[in-house]
Amino acid sequence: MSSNISIYVPAYNAEKTIKMCINSILTQTIQPEVILVVNDGSTDNTSKILQDFGDKIITIDNKKNMGVSHSMNIATSYLKTRYIGKIDADVELMPDWTETLLKTMNEQKATLIGCKMYEKYLDNPFNL
């Protein structure tokens, strides 16, 4: 059965968090059909880390930093599944995030859904 969902991640200089982020997508109880990362002109090691995932993800590289809105537009134009989820490059998903999202969408007959985010690591360098 198809999940009919894709997840995309706009990323700019996300070398410290992108691996954790993508691994949390890859361990979902319901796998997305497509995992897309829009690398927005990163100048750190983000590109190298993304290459290490091979064909588990699709990467679109902006030649220069165009901003998150531009990357979001690229992703939504590219992806063709019924549902599209977006997370930031410093987010680690709970393992049932996709399952919960799809269940809620179907039960509520919703066309758009948002959720709360909770800080897992309150004492980390990303919160400075």
Side-chain angles (χ1 to χ4, degrees):
M1 182 173 128
S2 168
S3 65
N4 211 7
I5 188 169
S6 298
I7 298 176
Y8 75 92
V9 182
Y12 176 68
N13 288 347
E15 69 181 2
K16 294 179 182 175
T17 59
I18 193 67
K19 185 175 182 177
M20 169 224 29
C21 176
I22 294 171
N23 282 332
S24 78
I25 299 170
L26 290 170
T27 58
Q28 289 296 296
T29 55
I30 295 179
Q31 279 293 298
E33 290 182 24
V34 177
I35 300 169
L36 172 66
V37 179
V38 181
N39 184 13
D40 193 19
S42 294
T43 58
D44 63 359
N45 287 318
T46 299
S47 293
K48 168 68 175 107
I49 295 166
L50 295 174
Q51 289 173 0
D52 291 343
F53 283 98
D55 63 357
K56 294 178 184 175
I57 65 171
I58 295 171
T59 303
I60 295 175
D61 291 301
N62 293 341
K63 292 184 195 278
K64 65 179 186 172
N65 182 261
M66 302 294 291
V68 70
S69 294
H70 184 79
S71 294
M72 290 168 61
N73 289 336
I74 289 170
T76 56
S77 294
Y78 180 88
L79 297 168
K80 304 300 179 204
T81 52
R82 178 171 184 194
Y83 302 109
I84 297 173
K86 181 249 182 212
I87 62 168
D88 293 333
D90 63 348
V91 169
E92 182 179 2
L93 297 176
M94 297 296 292
D96 64 344
W97 184 81
T98 304
E99 183 177 352
T100 302
L101 183 78
L102 289 170
K103 180 181 175 189
T104 303
M105 293 286 288
N106 288 320
E107 286 176 356
Q108 301 297 320
K109 297 183 182 5
T111 56
L112 178 68
I113 189 169
C115 61
K116 290 183 179 179
M117 297 187 61
Y118 300 95
E119 288 289 339
K120 182 175 180 180
Y121 306 107
L122 295 176
D123 234 1
N124 70 51
F126 308 114
N127 288 332
L128 296 177

